Amino acid sequence: MMQPSRPVVLVVDDGPKNIKLMEGILVPAGYTVISANNGAMALQMSQDALPDLILLDVMMPGMDGFTVCQQLKDNEKTRHLPVIFVTARDDMEAETRCFALGAVDFIAKPVNMPVVLARVKMHLAMERQRRGLEGMFEDVIEFAPDAFVLCDNQGIVRRINRRAEQLFGYSREDLVGRSVAVLMPLRLTTGSSLACLRRDGSEFPADINVSPLETHHGSLVMAVVRDVTDRQKAERSLAESRGQLRQLVTQNEAVREVERKHLAREVHDELGQLLTGLRMEMSLLEMRFGAENPGLADKVQGMKSLLDRAIQGVRHVVTNLRPTALDMGLIAALESVCTEFTQRTGIACVFHTVEQAVDLDEARAVVVFRIVQESLTNVARHACARHVSVTLGRVGNALGVEVRDDGRGFDPHVAAAVTSFGLLGMRERAHGLGGRLDIISSPGNGVVVGLTIPFDTTTGRSEP
């Protein structure tokens, strides 16, 4: 069974006795000791052997320990090596400078054997833990589902993971050392959508998250690249489905309005005329025989009252199916619905407009009327309002309608969590004609329903 390798400690000191002392302390404790008696030798051995820990003297001829430490930290290959200064200088200035240069600890001479062993053991354990975490982090990056591209500050690729190889079609050997522009050209990343290039020249859309990364190899830039081709296809498909659904809703509403109009005409022409004729016959019956038979007159009068109620019911049904006021224009229809609302609920409803007439096609006029009608129905059911105003006017190249009440209001966020097909239907009707419906409310502050329907900018008429 292979035994774990002994940790290697590099002792740098110009005094042979000090080196022997450190060997006598560390070797029996299970460490391998290598030594250098000057700064230049220490730098060379650090690069060649890459020891686990360096014990570095400060005061040495030629190159002192401060300079050695600085050059170790400037070298990408050795900057991660932990350095403990071991020196006869125990002043605060020297200790402060040691830590400023990146040393992990400071031991004053003459050394205490238990202290040296404890410090060496602690820092080697910390270094093993750090390397283990770095290895785990490297595994996370290597096997991540997204592509990782690490570059230096000049945009030169220093490392990629396995997913980046698969996504871009480059091997690590082909890509490391090249400009990141071969993957993410600036001409492709200046727009609202980001695009990347594969090795074969094909493009693909991507989400790219860029963040700085401080490492033992210096400052790098980490780009996390995710191919969003499938997501964009799904989004386009979803948008197309939504558009088709809205077209279907608009078409269904148009068909329903046609059916309502036809049904209203049938009810008005057939049933209305029949009831009106029947009432005229009752009046003739009363005129011819009422004087001779008082009991018959009373009976006829009762039947006429029932017929009047039936005629009124027919008129109400016809109005709900197809407001006759729409035949006189949208403004007349809105005035009529506001008046009827006040009579029915007792809530004051005032209609405001400065327009003399609004030239809308029938489909849009019906949508505007139905949304106002639905808004007033919601006020009657839920608002507990005392006043309602309906305002109509032009807003640029669009027709704007606002229904405002002083009722108890509601929290839109709470309402959004509850399925409300009434509000959803209103929004879909507006959107189906290229319009927009906004609902503004808060508890205690009433509700404002704002509808905007665009006009055709060339003719002044709404789009068909």
Side-chain angles (χ1 to χ4, degrees), residues 8 16 23 51-52 62 65 71 138 152 160 175 191 239 246 280 285 308 316-317 335-336 350 368 431 436 447 454:
V8 178
E23 289 177 345
D52 298 292
Q71 293 193 26
E138 289 179 358
D152 60 22
I160 63 174
L175 192 57
R246 287 195 171 104
M280 292 176 62
L285 181 63
D308 289 339
H316 181 70
V317 169
E335 288 177 338
S336 174
V350 181
V368 172
H431 194 281
R436 175 175 175 176
V447 179

Side-chain angles (χ1 to χ4, degrees), residues 9 30-31 86 97 133 141 154 255 286 309 312 328 341 343 350 358 363 383 391 420 428 441:
V9 179
Y31 301 103
V86 183
R97 188 175 178 187
L133 291 174
I141 291 180
Q154 285 71 45
V255 171
E286 183 182 19
R309 289 172 58 186
Q312 186 62 35
M328 297 181 289
F341 175 82
Q343 294 173 348
V350 181
V358 177
T391 305
S420 176
E428 289 302 319
S441 182

Side-chain angles (χ1 to χ4, degrees), residues 11-22 25 36 55-60 84-91 106-113 115-116 119:
V11 178
V12 184
D13 200 301
D14 62 329
K17 291 182 178 180
N18 292 331
I19 293 176
K20 288 292 184 182
L21 176 61
M22 288 298 179
I25 295 173
L55 297 177
L56 179 60
D57 188 19
V58 172
M59 295 181 293
M60 295 184 297
I84 298 177
F85 276 100
V86 183
T87 177
R89 288 189 57 180
D90 59 354
D91 56 283
F106 181 96
I107 300 176
K109 293 180 180 179
V111 299
N112 181 289
M113 185 171 66
V115 171
V116 172
R119 300 281 182 87

Side-chain angles (χ1 to χ4, degrees), residues 24-294:
I25 295 173
L26 298 174
V27 171
Y31 301 103
T32 297
V33 176
I34 58 177
S35 61
N37 59 12
N38 60 69
M41 182 184 295
L43 292 173
Q44 187 62 49
M45 293 183 69
S46 297
Q47 288 198 77
D48 295 341
L50 292 177
D52 298 292
L53 181 69
I54 300 175
L55 297 177
L56 179 60
D57 188 19
V58 172
M59 295 181 293
M60 295 184 297
M63 186 184 301
D64 64 12
F66 294 138
T67 305
V68 173
C69 186
Q70 183 66 62
Q71 293 193 26
L72 286 171
K73 298 304 177 183
D74 289 341
N75 190 322
E76 290 189 7
K77 190 175 181 180
T78 59
R79 68 171 60 208
H80 68 281
L81 299 178
V83 176
I84 298 177
F85 276 100
V86 183
T87 177
R89 288 189 57 180
D90 59 354
D91 56 283
M92 182 63 69
E93 180 183 353
E95 185 174 355
T96 301
R97 188 175 178 187
C98 290
F99 286 114
L101 289 170
V104 297
D105 211 339
F106 181 96
I107 300 176
K109 293 180 180 179
V111 299
N112 181 289
M113 185 171 66
V115 171
V116 172
L117 286 174
R119 300 281 182 87
V120 169
K121 182 178 180 180
M122 178 185 69
H123 288 292
L124 285 174
M126 292 174 63
E127 180 65 11
R128 283 194 300 271
Q129 183 181 31
R130 182 190 66 79
R131 291 181 181 179
L133 291 174
E134 284 187 351
M136 186 183 302
F137 180 68
E138 289 179 358
D139 287 344
V140 169
I141 291 180
E142 179 63 21
F143 299 104
D146 295 327
F148 279 73
V149 180
L150 276 69
C151 308
D152 60 22
N153 291 328
Q154 285 71 45
I156 303 301
V157 177
R158 295 304 178 192
R159 182 172 178 181
I160 63 174
N161 68 345
R162 185 174 62 175
R163 176 58 181 151
E165 289 183 299
Q166 299 170 349
L167 186 60
F168 291 101
Y170 289 90
S171 67
R172 298 169 202 256
E173 294 76 13
D174 292 335
L175 192 57
V176 172
R178 300 181 64 179
S179 172
V180 73
V182 302
L183 306 180
M184 292 167 272
L186 292 177
R187 66 178 180 84
L188 295 176
T189 59
T190 55
S192 58
S193 60
L194 303 179
C196 295
L197 278 178
R198 296 187 178 91
R199 185 171 187 171
D200 61 7
S202 61
E203 300 179 7
F204 65 91
D207 279 346
I208 304 176
N209 294 314
V210 179
S211 59
L213 185 66
E214 294 296 329
T215 72
H216 289 295
H217 302 288
S219 298
L220 299 176
V221 177
M222 181 173 66
V224 182
V225 184
R226 175 174 295 179
D227 185 355
V228 295
T229 302
D230 292 339
R231 190 186 74 187
Q232 289 193 358
K233 287 181 180 177
E235 289 174 350
R236 286 194 295 268
S237 177
L238 181 59
E240 291 174 0
S241 296
R242 286 177 175 171
Q244 292 171 356
L245 182 60
R246 287 195 171 104
Q247 291 178 1
L248 180 61
V249 169
T250 303
Q251 182 179 357
N252 286 343
E253 285 297 325
V255 171
R256 287 178 61 186
E257 289 298 337
V258 171
E259 292 175 347
R260 286 171 176 168
K261 183 177 181 180
H262 175 73
L263 185 57
R265 183 177 294 113
E266 290 293 323
V267 171
H268 178 270
D269 293 346
E270 298 294 332
L271 186 57
Q273 291 181 10
L274 180 62
L275 291 174
T276 301
L278 186 56
R279 192 184 189 287
M280 292 176 62
E281 292 293 332
M282 288 292 177
S283 297
L284 289 174
L285 181 63
E286 183 182 19
M287 291 172 60
R288 293 184 59 182
F289 303 105
E292 302 175 2
N293 190 342

Side-chain angles (χ1 to χ4, degrees), residues 341-386:
F341 175 82
T342 300
Q343 294 173 348
R344 177 168 50 87
T345 64
I347 301 172
C349 182
V350 181
F351 177 70
H352 302 281
T353 185
V354 296
E355 304 293 332
Q356 299 297 319
V358 177
D359 190 11
L360 279 178
D361 60 85
E362 184 175 358
R364 295 187 177 228
V366 170
V367 167
V368 172
F369 178 84
R370 291 300 185 193
I371 289 177
V372 172
Q373 190 179 50
E374 181 71 19
S375 300
L376 292 177
T377 300
N378 290 336
V379 172
R381 290 177 178 175
H382 311 294
C384 297
R386 293 178 297 175

